[in-house]
Amino acid sequence: MADIQSTAAAAPSVIHRSDYRPPAWLVPDVALDFRLDAAATQVRAKLSVVRNGAHSDPLRLDGDGLMPRMIRVDGVELTADQWSMEAGALVIALPGAAHEVETLVELSPTTNTQLMGLYASGGLLCTQCEAQGFRRITFFPDRPDVLSRYSVRMEADKALYPVLLANGDPVGSGDLEGGRHWAQWNDPFLKPCYLFALVAADLACNADSFTTMSGREVSLGIWVRQADLPRTTHAMKALKDSMAWDERVYGREYDLAVFNIVAVADFNFGAMENKGLNIFNSRYILADPETATDIDFDGVEGVVAHEYFHNWSGNRVTCRDWFQLSLKEGFTVFRDQTFSADMGSPAVKRIDDVRILRAAQFQEDSGPLAHPIRPESYMEISNFYTATIYNKGAEIIRMMHTMLGPERFRAGTDLYFDRHDGQAATCEDFVKAMEDGGQIDLTQFRLWYEQAGTPRVRALLSHDPVSREALLTLSQTVPPTPGQPVKKPMAMPIRVALFDRATDAHHGDETLMLTQAEQTFRFPGFAAQPVLSINRGFSAPVVIESDRSQQDLAFLSAHDDDPFARYEAMQQLMVNVLVGTVAGQAMDDAPVIAAIRDTVADAALDDAFIAEAIRLPSESYIGDQMMMVDPDAIHIARERLQTKIGKTLETVWRDLHARTEANGFSLSSAAKGARKLRNTALNYLTASGAVDADDVAFTQFDRADNMTERQGALSVLANGTGDRREAALDIFYNRYADDPLVLDKWFQTQALSFHLDTLAIVRELGQHKDFTLGNPNRVRSLFGAFAANQWGFHQGNGEGYRMVADIIIALDPLNPQTAARLVPPLGRWRRFGAQRGQAMRAELERILATPGLSKDVIEQVTKSLD
Ligand code: B3K
Ligand code: ZN
């Protein structure tokens, strides 16, 4: 059995979207019986199997690391010659149309370090099946278009696992001899096996209820360790808000009598939408002011909503195959983004979402791992849970919303849910429903599903004084991406407004449909050349190239009434100075400083927006604007500008820092905005070099009644070299040594810091007694964060690359999914010059030469080297 993985690793096969065939056998009913035990769990599965269509294919049940202990067909045990194993799958030649197939396997949850299938985490047993984990639990056609009705019986030691949960509704439970007990759960809804889940645990429950729009009472439970119960209030509120929001905005009602969420410490990603039993990485459930930042609170709200929304967009209507992943993920991200916008500040949420898109997805889209939101092929589907599928996918749905408007969009989604309820659907089904329900032709728009790469839209504004017209010429190019050298023009909605310099106002916001390689739009009624505000609200996920002057950008940063465009003008103002400086030009930074000063002084703006607008673009975003990235030059240029802003406006930062000091903790938008701005002010004050800056930071660190300010101050101190740095890090560590989620912040803050010895610090932290490869959160906090620290990662003659490569090699045999996620930063080697590029490549090659590599890592590395 040990060889299964290495056999796959030798020659990972490529799965193509065009090869889709309907399943040969369907499984309408599944009865599972678990004898749970951490070391040896027995799983008995009874499947009713039905031949699908006229063919003579044998029954093929996927398996990964399983060996059947017993196989029965229609009650009769098979002999060894009546079945075979092929690449882990169980193959049985069956005559006729329908049978009952029963198998028995034994699993070892404690040794399951991949965290896929049934595994142990902190004393509990839980499952993760998406995408292909169910085949690690029992033999089954593990593909999302096989939909079944499940009944699940679990038996376990009652003292160790007093709580037994599964999908659907509880239908019975009782005690057994020997201190054991059982529970039975039935799920009346058809579901693919990736949505199967069970949990056996000793957990406490935050119990609540929700009455649906048709008056049904749903019992809600959030299950955590007893000590963590007080930290579940925010998640429960988010759940109830999500349930109400989905009824109000999409007309979607919850459908079971219970909805449970379980928090676990060891989890490969954020959370999982198993039907009626969501399983969460505890970092997206637990939050209180002492241990969670405002970003964490928002993360909890967003992920709880995301998983809940999947009940319709993903579960009731699921995916036909994994190439359709964005059908559920892109749509659900769009839904959770809109929900969070409605719950807080839409302007700031949009800015945040675009920042994430640019940081993660634009990078992916311009590198060797670029793929369309509906990929054509993959080796390992786990590698395709990407920013492209999720975040770009959400932007595609958002564009449909923009083009249709809310009512027609809703007509489209109603039709989609009506048409496909209980089915495994495709992206094409979604687009067709939007066309039919929303009455729009999306023929050309479909290219967004096919073409990878971030379109670049060049905007040239001119003015004809005779006709008093402004002329806007938009031209688009979609860059080549792997396997797609030539692209067609895309259809995209570009929201624009033209500002009259004389009045500081615009003549109306318009959505232009760009469909051709080049188009000119005319705007009458301008005596002089106006100022262009473009891609307002970030209406299309593209890069805008325009020749707007610093003066025009400064104008927009003061007057644009679209918050995103105003923020964007400010960012572009800063990017121009920074990119120019890195290129060796003498840049005038006065407009940046003036814009920051004016923004801070604008009483009409809220604190959260101000904080977003005045912060400098990240080093990696600056790098993304260049063909060849020089991390040192970028770091120096950014630090210098930050220092200049800090010094020039020192009194502003002192005033702001004092003004935003809160009197008591609140989660209101105003209070969150004040904290964000306070941290920004502290950052600039520290950058100013003021002699008391470390004291101010340390006082904030020490006195804070919340993690947002405490971690904000710690981050500032961690960049420095003073005594305060060590003191703060020690205090923080000792205060939170027993809290893994906060300890993650301790690791992460140091990995992200600009301390001169970041490389050595990270190396040392990798040896720390609290560092473990067994917990994905910890790995991401240290090495994921470090690889995202552009300056730190590229220091020291490739030592950073070596460190990350070593971790990938060490982690791969334990947890290939998490290991593979560390590869992309090395894959950006083309952008960092010959010397660095060579060192990065050498590490990729060293990884690839490692025997027994998983196909997860092989796929990412080979594509990165291509
Ligand atoms: N659907 C899961 C992601 C599963 C990832 C598997 N590698 C969580 C989510 O997107 O909601
Ligand atoms: Zn999702």
Side-chain angles (χ1 to χ4, degrees), residues 116 128 130-131 194 268-273 306-307 310 325 328-329 332 381-382 385 390 817 821:
M116 287 294 286
Q128 171 54 39
E130 188 177 0
Y194 81 84
N268 275 340
F269 35 90
M272 179 63 211
E273 70 264 25
H306 180 99
E307 305 311 329
H310 268 316
L325 185 56
K328 74 179 178 82
E329 296 305 348
T332 305
I381 185 57
S382 296
Y385 287 76
Y390 277 65
Q817 267 187 35
R821 294 210 156 235

Side-chain angles (χ1 to χ4, degrees), residues 618-631:
S618 71
E619 293 188 4
S620 68
Y621 184 68
I622 302 165
D624 292 345
Q625 314 311 308
M626 303 166 174
M627 287 300 289
M628 233 9 114
V629 186
D630 179 344

Side-chain angles (χ1 to χ4, degrees), residues 59 61 68-84 90-95 99-103:
L59 175 70
L61 302 174
R69 305 209 147 196
M70 183 278 297
I71 308 167
R72 279 194 204 130
V73 173
D74 301 323
V76 180
E77 187 154 353
L78 298 191
T79 52
D81 58 334
Q82 290 176 302
W83 59 275
S84 61
L90 172 62
V91 181
I92 310 171
L94 291 176
H99 299 276
E100 185 186 81
V101 176
E102 190 179 349
T103 61

